Structures are given as structure tokens and as C-alpha cells.
Amino acid sequence: MSETQLRFSAFLAAVFALYFAAAMLVPAAVDYFLDNPDWRVFVSSALLVGAPAAACALATRASPPSVNARFGFLLVNLLWVTSALIGAIPFMLASIRLDLTDAVFESVSALTTTGSTVISGLDALPPGLLLWRSLLQWMGGLGVVALGLFVLPFLRIGGLSFFRIESSDTADRPFARFSTFTLALVGIYSVLTLLCALSYAAAGMTGFDAVNHAMTTLATGGFSTHDASLGYYGDNGAVIWVGTVFMFVAGLPFSILMLLVLRGRLEALGDRQIYVYVGFCVIFTLAVAVYLRLHSDYTPFEALTHSAFNFVSLITTTGFASADYSLWGAFPVACAFLATILGGCSGSTAGGIKAYRFLILFETVRAGLRHLVYPSSVATVRYGDRRVDTDMQDTAVLFICAFVVTWAITLILLAATGLDFMTAATGALTALTNVGPGLGEIVGPAGNFSPLPGAAKWVLDAAMILGRLEILAVLVLLSPAFWS
């Protein structure tokens, strides 16, 4: 790693810190308008972050170095870790006075769009702090999409984009310039958030709740302004269905949405991972809805409503809950456990293993079985009508193996802190997949992560960042070859 690359990494981290300092003025303005004294906390935090960040940016400003994979790995990890630490500052200074462990946990959970929380009494929390949680998730969601579309394909560890599948050169890209692509991404993300907020408000939410929930819905983050999550509006079917629709949209590839909205490319919807993603949502929703109709007092519409909402929430790794589905019975709980690992599409705000990896894994296994039957045949793995290169096959399999091993290690570490098996197993899984709630009384959909010991929270912090950066982008830093 050259000195120029390290210097420029520090410069970019400082620039990102300035963005966060500016974002802190938004909840400050809300608290000031509502006469809440916490506005001083956000102004102080903005100055505390902005002043040294500006000095660092001026001191390290230089021409961009040559970009390579090693520099990309370092930069991605640096930006996410520093952003999480900066996001924690208002939580420590605000009236709730979280300690360092809890503040960092809340910030990491927000920026990685996981949605696990250590804060209880959300209904009575100052409005600025509620808005800060939602803003962190919204900014984190935008960063997740950019990571999946721009960075991970370059690093060749994941983030399969529509462009990489459909074209091997730039001729089929919807935009000639990266800046135009970025503006389109921010524009579509913002417009969808606005539409979601208006829909929530029309369905019966207050304006403040609509804005907060819209930001965390499009980010598939799951932070709410109420301890009961969307269960607070559980009797309002319109609110529940608005959440279901926009969570589903947020789980689609944003590259596809751009092609569809800006270029009218309807054929973009033929991306095979969308079929897999839709299949996951439909199968789990209908299966659990039928079960609820047969084994509960839900009406058919109520069973479908709550099943669709909670399982789209789990599959897209949003983490909202309209009811405590852990009480629905063994079958829904087993389905919830499986849905936790699935994830949405690549290039979306969703976490999890993601639909395209399951598709590639299935095609790889099928090609391998065919080769066993016909040893002299050439086994080709295809994604639609395109051939999947060996590197992509290897990366998909490597990721799934790394996911399983990392989950097992995280489970063991959490169990070593004194957690029971259910809490440790599902807590580790929900952190790696960035879902939010796990299963059990402590971290279930009706629970809270605050009772966990401090050591467990730090383990989960690491797991959430690992999951958000697709594991391999973090593990590569542990390799001696990276630093040689």
C-alpha cells in the first residue's frame, strides 16, 4: 500500500465526515423548530466532527492515486468504520446518553441497514434523535446500492450488476459517464423515498412517522419511531401494504429500475435474479398465509396481509414486524429462519446471500451433476442466455462457504459471552444478513438487543459490517498477502 493511497484514503474519509456533519444539522433544525433542547447536541456534534474533518481534508488533499483492488478494499472498510464511529457521537451526547458500546452498536446497525436496536422507549424519544436514526439508515442504504453497483463488481467479490451480466463492454450502459449514473441513482432513490412517504401519509401515518418510515423502508433498514415497529399500525391494512410494496421495490436491482424508468427498457425485467426473488416472496407469503388461516383466528385477508408484510420484510432484510411472528407456530418460525438468509437482488439495499448467488449455485450444481452423468460433456453454467465465467462461479461458492464459517464463528463467540443457543444462533445470523430481529425472547421481533452483554454487542458490530461488505471485502484485510 503506497503512501499516496493511504493519504487519499484519509482525504476521502474526511470528506465523508463533512457530509455526516452537514447531515447532523437536519435533526438539529427539527429539534430547534419543536423547541427540543437536543438541537444543541446535534450542532455540537456537527462542529465536533466537521472542524477536524475539514482540517484533515485540507491537510491530505492530493490528486487521486492509481486505483486497484487493494486500494478499493482498504477504502471501503475505512469509510464504513469511520462513518459508524461518527454516527455514534449524537447518541452519546443526546439526552438518552448511550455509552460507547451501545452508541456504536446503534450507529453500525443503522448504517449497515440492519435495524437491530438497543434503544427502548422509542415512542418518547426526542424527534431529532428519531430522525437521526432514520437518516443514518437512509444514507447507509444509498451507500449499500453504490457498493453493490460500483465497488463490489470492480473488486470481483460480488455485487453482480445488470450491466456486467448483459454486456461485457460499455456500449450497453445506460449512461456514458459515471457522474450521470450517480445522479440518476440518487434521484431515483430520493423519488422513491418521497413516494413512499406520501403513500404512508395517505394511508394514515402522521407526517413525521411517514418521513421516518419512508427512509428506513427504502433503505430496507427497519428502524421505526415506535417500539412496536409497524405493529403500531397493525390494524391499518393500508399502511401495512404500503410498507410491503415499497420494501419489495427496494429489494429489486436499482440498475434495473434505472433502465426501466429512464430508458423504458422493459426487457431489463427479464433479469433471472428477479424471478428468483419474486419466487421467494410469493412462496413464503402464500405458505405462511395458508398456515395462519388454518391455525389462527386471522381472516384470509389479515393472514395474507401480515404474512406478506413480515416475509417480504425478512427476505429484503428490512426487519420491520407487524406482529410477533415467533408466536405463530413452528412452521412460520422455521420459514422465518430460512427467509432470514435469502436476501433481495444484487444492487439493491437488501442484505443476505442474495438471489443471484442462489441462482448461480443452482446452475453450478446442475452443471456438475450433468457432467457426472456425461463425463465427456462440457458443463457450462449459464445466467439466462449468458455464460457465467469461472471467476464468478468461484466467488459465489466462496462467499457462501465464508458465510457459513463466519456465522459459526460468530455463534461460538456470542455463546462464549453467556447467550443461550437460540439468541446466539439467530443473533449471529441476523447480524450477518443485516435483517435486524432474530428469534427468541431477547432478540426476537418483539425484543431488543440492550440486554446483551457488551462483548456480544461488539461481536455483532463486527458481524454487521462483515455482512454489509459481503464478508470477503473484510476478510481480505486479514491476509498477510494484502499488506505485503
Side-chain angles (χ1 to χ4, degrees):
M1 190 66 61
S2 69
E3 181 181 345
T4 304
Q5 290 176 328
L6 292 174
R7 181 186 181 91
F8 192 71
S9 297
F11 170 74
L12 285 181
V15 171
F16 268 69
L18 288 172
Y19 291 150
F20 275 79
M24 291 174 186
L25 299 179
V26 177
V30 171
D31 272 341
Y32 181 80
F33 179 77
L34 297 175
D35 200 27
N36 188 289
D38 266 4
W39 70 267
R40 298 183 180 88
V41 169
F42 287 102
V43 172
S44 301
S45 299
L47 293 173
L48 185 63
V49 172
C56 180
L58 291 173
T60 56
R61 186 176 182 181
S63 300
S66 58
V67 178
N68 54 34
R70 188 178 301 189
F71 174 67
F73 286 125
L74 175 66
L75 185 60
V76 164
N77 282 273
L78 178 64
L79 291 180
W80 282 87
V81 171
T82 55
S83 296
L85 294 175
I86 291 168
I89 292 174
F91 293 119
M92 292 188 288
L93 300 181
S95 53
I96 57 173
R97 298 287 182 183
L98 295 185
D99 60 23
L100 177 64
T101 297
D102 284 348
V104 171
F105 181 93
E106 196 75 10
S107 180
V108 170
S109 178
L111 282 169
T112 58
T113 70
T114 302
S116 304
T117 185
V118 294
I119 301 176
S120 55
L122 293 174
D123 301 78
L125 213 61
L129 207 55
L130 290 171
L131 185 59
W132 179 239
R133 296 168 79 243
S134 302
L135 267 175
L136 284 177
Q137 285 208 324
W138 191 82
M139 293 187 293
L142 186 60
V144 167
V145 177
L147 184 74
L149 291 181
F150 306 144
V151 181
L152 296 181
F154 167 73
L155 300 179
R156 299 190 67 80
I157 61 169
L160 173 148
S161 73
F162 178 77
F163 308 127
R164 186 173 173 188
I165 286 297
E166 294 297 323
S167 178
S168 59
D169 57 29
T170 60
D172 197 42
R173 293 178 185 268
F175 307 104
R177 295 181 301 172
F178 177 81
S179 59
T180 307
F181 192 15
T182 304
L183 287 174
L185 169 61
V186 174
I188 290 177
Y189 188 69
S190 300
V191 168
L192 285 173
T193 304
L194 177 61
L195 291 175
C196 184
L198 293 174
S199 299
Y200 272 137
M205 275 192 180
T206 64
F208 184 75
D209 272 8
V211 170
N212 280 273
H213 285 95
M215 287 192 286
T216 58
T217 298
L218 261 295
T220 60
F223 272 167
S224 177
T225 55
H226 304 285
D227 286 330
S229 188
L230 264 290
Y232 183 86
Y233 295 95
D235 294 331
N236 187 331
V239 166
I240 301 302
W241 278 108
V242 167
T244 303
V245 169
F246 280 95
M247 284 189 294
F248 177 81
V249 170
L252 294 170
F254 271 75
S255 54
I256 303 296
L257 296 178
M258 292 177 196
L259 288 170
L260 182 63
V261 173
L262 301 181
R263 289 294 182 91
R265 295 274 298 276
L266 292 176
E267 70 273 17
L269 294 174
D271 190 351
R272 293 302 179 90
Q273 64 173 327
I274 295 178
Y275 298 160
V276 176
Y277 168 57
V278 172
F280 287 158
C281 292
V282 170
I283 291 170
F284 278 92
T285 293
L286 293 180
V288 175
V290 171
Y291 180 91
L292 288 177
R293 182 68 188 102
L294 295 175
H295 296 87
S296 72
D297 58 358
Y298 281 131
T299 66
F301 180 73
E302 288 173 340
L304 182 63
T305 297
H306 288 289
S307 176
F309 180 85
N310 287 284
F311 279 88
V312 170
S313 177
L314 285 169
I315 291 168
T316 60
T317 70
T318 305
F320 280 140
S322 64
D324 187 353
Y325 48 79
S326 65
L327 303 177
W328 285 352
F331 178 72
V333 168
C335 289
F337 183 83
L338 291 175
T340 297
I341 70 172
L342 299 180
C345 299
S346 172
S348 71
T349 56
I353 293 178
K354 294 192 172 68
Y356 85 94
R357 288 196 179 97
F358 286 107
L359 183 59
I360 291 176
L361 181 64
F362 173 78
E363 294 293 340
T364 300
V365 171
R366 187 168 72 168
L369 293 175
R370 179 178 176 81
H371 185 69
L372 289 176
V373 177
Y374 304 104
S376 59
S377 67
V378 178
T380 302
V381 176
R382 308 192 72 81
Y383 184 98
D385 59 352
R386 300 280 180 173
R387 183 179 180 276
V388 178
D389 60 50
T390 304
D391 284 348
M392 189 175 290
Q393 296 176 47
D394 292 344
T395 301
V397 174
L398 177 60
F399 173 85
I400 293 173
C401 292
F403 180 91
V404 173
V405 171
T406 305
W407 171 70
I409 293 173
T410 306
L411 187 161
I412 292 171
L413 291 175
L414 290 175
T417 67
L419 300 182
D420 62 272
F421 178 79
M422 176 65 77
T423 301
T426 62
L429 188 62
T430 194
L432 280 174
T433 55
N434 306 117
V435 170
L439 295 171
E441 294 182 2
I442 301 176
V443 299
N448 186 284
F449 284 69
S450 58
L452 271 57
K457 293 172 184 173
W458 286 107
V459 171
L460 290 173
D461 287 342
M464 286 186 283
I465 292 176
L466 276 163
R468 188 72 280 170
L469 298 185
E470 309 257 332
I471 300 176
L472 302 178
V474 180
L475 294 184
V476 72
L477 266 65
L478 304 179
S479 171
F482 178 85
W483 303 101
S484 61

